[in-house]
């Protein structure tokens, strides 16, 4: 599945399975299976075991759904890498299925291991697939212990009627888990991405960049920050803005023109700015006074001086590039913190 998604699209998984389903049809026609009449499926007598099977099935489906979503959409790991990571879960389950003992003890131990492993996913310290291996081993091993003990031993699965009843229980549990968890994850992602925008804007304003750049940078960086893949969207925005800022004109006249646009100056200001440059040269104090007069407000003079002082500082493209790189790392941490906070409640419920 990961390979098909990586090469084509996630929909290719279903296309690849269709021929296998079609191949089953002629095999069924030629099969000598005898017709057996049975009563409609009846609920299992062991109600507690039935509830355990439904909840455990829902939890296992939910953890795979949540883990894949977090790896690909939250951490921006490629589908093939995410698929390889999640494969640890069924491999551990196969290992757990070889353990023998009383069915009730295995079922209880398995449920505890599944719960502990999934809860561990809510506390991974960093966005690395390696940190998910331990929790997956616990949850998968518990799955291998509990499922065979519940379905087939504590709950008999000897007839078609019993098999249908157990399958229905599993599907009820899966449906319940997805109905409960999907809205929670969606709402948490929306809230956390909004919070990440606010925290990211604060980091942009604190970055060692010229103020005239900061005014434009924050909205441009976060315009494409969506819940589908916020980390990758941020990386693309950082790369785009780095290219724009390190290749732009850094001279004083350019800064004055940009400052005029941001402060709502008149359309004839560029020609007047050229006169200012000829008159004052690089004397920033005099240029600030002249610009304040052109804008028509003496109140902005102090602000203009501050902006121009920063504009005329050591803002070479190389230094701006380094500042953008550092800012990108800090913003990446903010997005990852938001993603972890969005998925933690769902993992805890699971």
């Amino acid at each position: 599945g990961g390979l098909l998604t990586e090469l084509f699209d996630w929909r290719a998984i279903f296309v690849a399975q269709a021929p296998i389903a079609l191949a089953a049809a002629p095999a069924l026609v030629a099969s000598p299976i005898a017709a057996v009449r049975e009563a409609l499926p009846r609920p299992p007598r062991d109600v507690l075991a039935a509830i355990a099977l439904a909840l455990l099935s829902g939890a296992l489906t939910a953890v795979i759904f949540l883990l894949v979503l977090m790896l690909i959409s939250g951490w921006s790991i490629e589908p093939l890498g995410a698929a390889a990571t999640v494969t640890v879960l069924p491999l551990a389950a196969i290992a757990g299925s070889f353990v023998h003992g009383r069915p009730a003890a295995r079922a209880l131990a398995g449920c505890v291991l599944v719960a502990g492993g999934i809860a561990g996913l809510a506390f991974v310290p960093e966005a690395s697939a390696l940190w998910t291996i331990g929790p997956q081993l616990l949850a998968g091993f518990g799955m291998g212990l509990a499922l065979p003990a519940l379905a087939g031993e504590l709950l008999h699965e000897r007839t078609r009627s019993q098999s249908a009843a157990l399958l229905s229980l599993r599907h009820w549990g899966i449906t319940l888990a997805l109905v409960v968890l999907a809205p929670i994850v969606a709402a948490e992602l929306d809230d956390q991405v909004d919070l990440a925008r606010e925290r990211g804007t604060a980091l942009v304003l604190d970055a060692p960049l010229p103020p005239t750049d900061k005014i434009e940078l924050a909205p441009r960086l976060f315009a494409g920050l969506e819940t589908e893949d916020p980390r990758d969207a941020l990386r693309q925005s950082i790369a785009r803005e780095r290219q724009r800022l390190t290749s732009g004109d850094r001279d004083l006249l350019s800064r004055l023109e940009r400052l005029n646009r941001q402060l709502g100056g008149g359309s004839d200001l560029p020609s007047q700015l050229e006169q200012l440059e000829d008159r004052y040269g690089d004397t920033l104090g005099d240029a600030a006074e002249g610009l304040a007069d052109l804008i028509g407000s003496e109140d902005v003079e102090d602000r203009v001086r501050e902006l121009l002082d920063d504009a005329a500082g050591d803002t070479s493209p190389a230094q701006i590039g380094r500042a953008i790189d550092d800012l990108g790392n800090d913003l990446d941490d903010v997005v990852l913190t938001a993603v972890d906070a969005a998925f933690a409640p769902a993992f805890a419920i699971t």
Side-chain angles (χ1 to χ4, degrees):
L3 182 62
L4 290 171
T5 304
E6 183 88 17
L7 296 177
F8 304 104
D9 186 78
W10 62 268
R11 298 168 183 82
I13 298 172
F14 303 103
V15 176
Q17 293 184 63
I20 301 175
L22 290 175
L28 181 63
V29 171
S31 174
I33 297 176
V36 178
R37 295 185 180 276
E38 292 188 65
L40 292 176
R42 290 176 295 177
R45 294 182 179 180
D46 192 334
V47 178
L48 288 179
I51 294 174
L53 178 62
L55 293 177
L56 185 64
S57 300
L60 292 172
T61 301
V63 72
I64 295 176
F65 164 72
L66 292 172
L67 187 55
V68 169
L69 193 63
M70 184 176 74
L71 291 174
I72 296 178
S73 295
W75 293 357
S76 292
I77 294 177
E78 294 299 323
L80 186 56
T85 301
V86 179
T87 302
V88 171
L89 197 70
L91 291 178
I94 294 173
S97 66
F98 287 100
V99 176
H100 300 289
R102 293 189 303 111
R106 285 162 41 222
L108 180 59
C111 288
V112 171
L113 287 175
V114 169
I118 296 175
L121 291 172
F123 300 100
V124 289
E126 61 181 271
S128 171
L130 293 177
W131 283 106
T132 70
I133 300 300
Q136 285 191 81
L137 289 173
L138 286 178
F141 196 83
M143 171 183 173
L145 283 176
L147 277 183
L150 287 169
E153 297 182 51
L154 293 177
L155 300 172
H156 295 306
E157 198 172 13
R158 298 169 183 166
T159 67
R160 296 181 184 181
S161 176
Q162 292 172 342
S163 297
L166 297 192
L167 186 62
S168 297
L169 281 173
R170 293 178 178 181
H171 282 200
W172 273 110
I174 292 169
T175 302
L176 175 65
L178 296 180
V179 165
V180 170
L181 293 174
I184 292 176
V185 174
E188 286 290 331
L189 274 174
D190 287 339
D191 292 342
Q192 290 298 327
V193 167
D194 289 341
L195 185 59
R197 287 194 183 97
E198 296 176 5
R199 292 173 175 171
T201 300
L203 286 175
V204 172
L205 295 178
D206 289 338
L209 292 169
T212 48
D213 288 330
K214 296 179 185 180
I215 295 173
E216 294 181 346
L217 187 58
R220 294 173 69 98
L221 279 180
F222 304 122
L225 193 63
E226 302 294 341
T227 57
E228 183 175 344
D229 194 349
R231 193 182 189 190
D232 186 61
L234 179 63
R235 286 173 178 170
Q236 294 181 22
S237 295
I238 289 289
R240 184 169 56 249
E241 293 307 305
R242 190 185 193 282
Q243 175 66 23
R244 183 179 68 87
L245 291 177
T246 55
S247 62
D249 187 6
R250 316 305 302 175
D251 63 17
L252 178 59
L253 180 58
S254 173
R255 290 306 183 88
L256 291 173
E257 291 173 344
R258 291 176 57 197
L259 182 61
N260 169 62
R261 291 195 301 270
Q262 293 164 2
L263 296 177
S267 59
D268 61 337
L269 188 59
S271 60
Q272 294 172 308
L273 287 176
E274 292 180 3
Q275 297 175 12
L276 276 178
E277 186 180 39
D278 295 337
R279 178 178 178 184
Y280 297 113
D282 291 331
T283 307
L284 297 180
D286 294 337
E289 293 177 2
L291 183 59
D293 291 338
L294 289 175
I295 294 174
S297 171
E298 295 181 358
D299 296 335
V300 301
E301 182 175 337
D302 291 339
R303 180 59 177 157
V304 171
R305 287 176 181 272
E306 178 185 342
L307 292 176
L308 292 178
D309 284 338
D310 190 88
D314 190 3
T315 54
S316 66
Q319 288 187 318
I320 289 179
R322 286 193 293 270
I324 291 290
D325 291 339
D326 292 339
L327 177 62
N329 292 332
D330 293 339
L331 292 177
D332 187 62
D333 290 339
V334 168
V335 169
L336 289 177
T337 299
V339 168
D340 292 343
F343 280 91
F347 280 124
I349 293 171
T350 303

